[in-house]
């Protein structure tokens, strides 16, 4: 996501002013959380004796699903190519994501992004420009829950 699109997205999603310094934190966050979803999805596929991770294997909670719907309402797009390039840097999964699963990456990333922005406002309601300590607090919540 480019800097201006990133700034516009967070402003629309939660009224936050982010800048180019936050873009790396954001990229690291969505990369890590998507990979976490795939790791759990891999375990589900393995238990169900399948070689591929299907969309229903991903642990998409009700709240995350609502954030995906919120992302759709924002009418933004996420480019999948950089996502796939970042995922390639992780250790390979035992189960390959199915094509339909990969096609849902942009919406999953969008939902994670909306959830991230809204979590800033829940935890730090008066913050307009998140600082390092805010990012650490919010991402630690996601590390516990996803």
């Amino acid at each position: 996501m480019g800097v201006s699109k990133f700034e516009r997205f967070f402003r629309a999603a939660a009224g936050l002013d982010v800048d180019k310094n936050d873009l790396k934190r954001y990229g690291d966050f969505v990369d890590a959380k998507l990979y976490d979803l795939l790791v759990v999805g891999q375990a589900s596929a393995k238990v169900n004796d399948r070689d591929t991770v299907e969309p229903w294997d991903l642990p998409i909670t009700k709240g995350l699903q609502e954030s995906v719907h919120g992302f759709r309402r924002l009418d933004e797009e996420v480019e999948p190519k950089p996502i796939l390039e970042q995922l390639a840097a992780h250790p390979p999964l035992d189960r390959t994501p199915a094509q339909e699963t990969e096609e849902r990456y942009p919406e999953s990333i969008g939902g994670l992004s909306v959830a991230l922005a809204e979590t800033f406002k829940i935890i730090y309601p008066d913050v307009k420009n998140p600082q390092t300590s805010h990012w650490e607090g919010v991402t630690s919540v996601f590390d516990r829950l996803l």
Side-chain angles (χ1 to χ4, degrees):
M1 187 181 293
V3 175
S4 62
K5 187 174 185 176
F6 169 66
E7 291 170 343
R8 187 176 61 246
F9 178 85
F10 270 77
R11 212 171 296 117
L16 295 171
D17 292 324
V18 292
D19 56 37
K20 66 180 181 178
N21 296 325
D22 295 315
L23 189 55
K24 177 163 180 16
R25 288 180 215 163
Y26 166 75
D28 291 346
F29 168 81
V30 294
D31 172 58
K33 293 303 112 192
L34 182 59
Y35 186 73
D36 289 349
L37 290 172
L38 289 168
V39 167
V40 174
Q42 170 184 261
S44 176
K46 192 175 204 174
V47 165
N48 289 297
D49 201 30
R50 278 185 277 102
D51 293 334
T52 59
V53 177
E54 299 297 331
W56 54 84
D57 290 320
L58 301 180
I60 305 296
T61 63
K62 178 181 178 281
L64 185 51
Q65 185 62 46
E66 289 172 0
S67 293
V68 168
H69 294 307
F71 172 70
R72 289 179 188 146
R73 285 190 298 275
L74 288 175
D75 199 29
E76 294 285 341
E77 291 183 18
V78 174
E79 174 61 40
K81 186 178 176 190
I83 296 166
L84 296 174
E85 289 172 356
Q86 278 187 288
L87 285 174
H90 289 280
L93 300 170
D94 292 340
R95 305 289 190 265
T96 305
Q99 181 176 348
E100 187 179 351
T101 304
E102 289 183 349
E103 289 169 358
R104 292 188 186 185
Y105 287 174
E107 282 194 340
S108 296
I109 292 295
L112 286 166
S113 301
V114 168
L116 174 70
E118 291 175 344
T119 302
F120 275 109
K121 295 310 287 184
I122 291 167
I123 296 176
Y124 308 107
D126 298 327
V127 167
K128 293 291 182 205
N129 185 347
Q131 302 301 307
T132 301
S133 62
H134 302 121
W135 278 92
E136 290 169 352
V138 169
T139 57
S140 68
V141 168
F142 280 87
D143 289 342
R144 295 270 184 237
L145 298 175
L146 285 181

